[in-house]
Amino acid sequence: MKTAKYFFIIFALAFTNIYASSAKPTILPAYKNPTPGEFPILGWYSIPDSASTRQRYNEMREAGFNISFSHFTDNAQISRAAKACRGTGIKIIAGSPQLEASTKESIDSLKQYGEIAGWFLRDEPVVSGFGYLSQFRDSVYAADTTRLVYLNLFPRMVEPKNLGTATYDDYLREFLKQIRLPFISYDMYPVHETGNGEAVLQPMLFTNLESTQRVSREFGVPFWAFCLSTAHTPYPVARAAHLEVEAFSALAYGAQGIQYFTYWQPVSKTWNFYHAPIDKFGKRTDVYYLIRNLNKEIQALAPVFLGAEVISVSHTGKHIPDDTHRLTSLPMPFLTIDSDGPGVLVSHLHNNGKQYLMIVNRDIQNAQKVTLSIGSKKVRQIMPNGTTTKLSTTTPVIEPGRYVLYVWK
């Protein structure tokens, strides 16, 4: 990975892939939540083999994760990790050069471990590599159809010509047509540090969410999104507002999994990674505790977001992000929404017979005061711990990157 590292790995294809037609593919097996009863929360560059102990996996679980993705060099490391995380509430995404070279033999030797949530194919491929990865995917499913097969895609900020398509939406479509996995995962890191040290949110966060939600709806599959938790140029040390605007915006657009890059600080000769949740010495930083708080909140709100249907997402403000929709109507009983800042994201969701309205502050520097007009006393507010309460105000002040959430039937 990652988003800043656009290595366009080009795979030579000697054949035309049969799934590159315009017809919708048959995506089998269907998506299945790898963490039943919980919202999937995954940590990239997780616990290394040298620290693969039950204590370390318990620590990761304490931070609110339930899926770990380490970079394993062989199947023996996968086996050690599966044994170490047993009983901790953490599952692993397993991948190694051995798994790719000897897929059936590797999976046959590893699928005994219930701690394995899925098998890893590749990170950030371009379209010219999809044919090979489709074959890899078929080899995995020939050996095991009970687990996820995981692949992560480039973000929309990469030029489509470098991805091998005319548009980013087409890149996502080709992924689903050719590799046929039951969900979309992509990384997008929108908080950049300017030359004077100021953290700025790139509107591309919302543009990318629009594309991903649009194509995931089109194909009837969910998507997972990312938060950036490890600093490296040009991305600053993660702060609460940075993580929250990434996570809550993704949830507002219907994301069914939240991922972090990274959990453990990677060793790299190319990128100046620093200030990860777990640093290079294996010690917790303040980011660990920020993530722990955020993940606890996400799980408390799982009844709202897990399996939710997004009815609409729109934006307010003088300027709205490219390719997004301006708020022109609201679900009853909401009549009007205004803010005193640059604008908010407004999402209408439905889940388990209930309606939800989520308002996210797009500003990571300043709070925004929102003024609501509501035509019913039956609307209640959902608190960060998942409890509901009567409305105490129709002029809530939303802190940078945060939200207010309402429910009614």
Side-chain angles (χ1 to χ4, degrees):
M1 226 175 186
K2 277 333 277 152
T3 299
K5 301 170 274 300
Y6 297 130
F7 297 139
F8 304 117
I9 304 172
I10 308 300
F11 298 91
L13 301 182
F15 56 90
T16 300
N17 192 281
I18 62 173
Y19 299 107
S21 71
S22 60
K24 271 190 184 180
T26 299
I27 297 174
L28 294 172
Y31 176 81
K32 182 179 178 182
N33 180 4
T35 58
E38 295 186 1
F39 200 91
I41 302 178
L42 181 151
W44 257 75
Y45 276 99
S46 184
I47 301 165
D49 182 61
S50 59
S52 190
T53 65
R54 183 183 180 87
Q55 180 182 11
R56 281 301 194 178
Y57 281 102
N58 276 329
E59 179 182 42
M60 188 177 189
R61 179 63 171 174
E62 182 187 337
F65 292 92
N66 47 30
I67 306 176
S68 168
F69 176 44
S70 299
H71 281 58
F72 301 114
T73 59
D74 56 43
N75 293 344
Q77 291 187 0
I78 297 174
S79 179
R80 284 193 289 272
K83 292 174 182 176
C85 73
R86 184 170 295 159
T88 64
I90 298 283
K91 293 186 176 182
I92 63 174
I93 297 292
S96 72
Q98 231 177 318
L99 175 69
E100 184 170 353
S102 304
T103 304
K104 184 179 187 307
E105 294 81 357
S106 295
I107 292 177
D108 284 347
S109 69
L110 293 168
K111 65 183 179 182
Q112 61 178 301
Y113 297 114
E115 294 79 16
I116 294 178
W119 310 104
F120 175 66
L121 295 187
R122 185 78 82 250
D123 182 43
E124 296 179 334
V126 294
V127 171
S128 60
F130 286 177
Y132 167 78
L133 291 170
S134 177
Q135 292 181 318
F136 188 6
R137 176 258 191 208
D138 289 343
S139 296
V140 171
Y141 277 136
D144 179 19
T145 59
T146 65
R147 295 172 172 87
L148 285 179
V149 175
Y150 176 80
L151 180 151
N152 187 59
L153 295 169
F154 275 112
R156 184 166 165 167
M157 65 174 60
V158 180
E159 288 290 334
K161 66 181 180 180
N162 292 326
L163 299 173
T165 55
T167 68
Y168 183 75
D169 284 27
D170 287 341
Y171 171 63
L172 300 180
R173 292 187 183 105
E174 284 303 311
F175 159 72
L176 290 169
K177 290 174 184 177
Q178 296 193 44
I179 306 180
R180 297 164 292 133
L181 296 187
F183 72 112
I184 297 170
S185 171
Y186 75 98
D187 54 76
M188 166 66 194
Y189 307 137
V191 181
H192 293 195
E193 190 170 52
T194 64
N196 62 5
E198 181 183 6
V200 176
L201 181 68
Q202 304 295 318
M204 184 66 75
L205 167 66
F206 307 102
T207 306
N208 211 141
L209 284 166
E210 286 284 343
S211 279
T212 311
Q213 187 209 48
R214 183 163 52 235
V215 176
S216 69
R217 275 176 173 263
E218 182 181 329
F219 285 81
V221 299
F223 72 92
W224 291 9
F226 267 84
C227 299
L228 180 61
S229 49
T230 297
H232 57 292
T233 305
Y235 308 107
V237 172
R239 297 304 178 215
H242 308 170
L243 297 166
E244 288 168 350
V245 77
E246 292 169 315
F248 294 129
S249 296
L251 293 173
Y253 271 88
Q256 293 298 295
I258 294 294
Q259 307 171 77
Y260 292 86
F261 183 78
T262 65
Y263 175 67
W264 202 283
Q265 185 168 312
V267 176
S268 173
K269 294 180 179 179
T270 305
W271 302 101
N272 61 328
F273 295 119
Y274 63 100
H275 216 101
I278 303 294
D279 69 17
K280 63 182 179 180
F281 303 108
K283 303 295 185 181
R284 300 180 186 184
T285 69
D286 60 317
V287 179
Y288 173 94
Y289 298 99
L290 294 177
I291 286 175
R292 186 177 69 177
N293 293 340
L294 177 54
N295 288 345
K296 182 179 179 180
E297 189 168 345
I298 291 170
Q299 288 299 353
L301 298 172
V304 176
F305 298 112
L306 191 58
E309 175 192 3
V310 177
I311 307 301
S312 65
V313 183
S314 51
H315 294 257
T316 72
K318 183 177 179 180
H319 302 288
I320 66 172
D322 289 345
D323 199 28
T324 64
H325 306 276
R326 181 172 293 281
L327 179 67
T328 57
S329 63
L330 286 164
M332 291 297 292
F334 289 85
L335 304 176
T336 61
I337 295 177
D338 294 301
S339 77
D340 65 354
V344 294
L345 180 164
V346 180
S347 174
H348 176 203
L349 305 104
H350 176 267
N351 201 355
N352 199 27
K354 296 179 180 179
Q355 305 288 326
Y356 299 93
L357 192 82
M358 185 181 196
I359 305 172
V360 181
N361 182 2
R362 298 196 311 255
D363 194 332
I364 61 171
Q365 304 291 351
N366 304 291
Q368 292 193 65
K369 181 180 178 180
V370 174
T371 301
L372 304 171
S373 177
I374 305 174
S376 171
K377 295 182 179 180
K378 294 183 178 180
V379 175
R380 294 172 65 85
Q381 185 172 347
I382 300 179
M383 307 307 290
N385 64 3
T387 61
T388 60
T389 183
K390 291 182 179 180
L391 268 65
S392 59
T393 180
T394 55
T395 56
V397 175
I398 309 178
E399 295 301 315
R402 288 193 62 78
Y403 65 94
V404 288
L405 182 61
Y406 302 99
V407 60
W408 72 100
K409 289 188 177 180

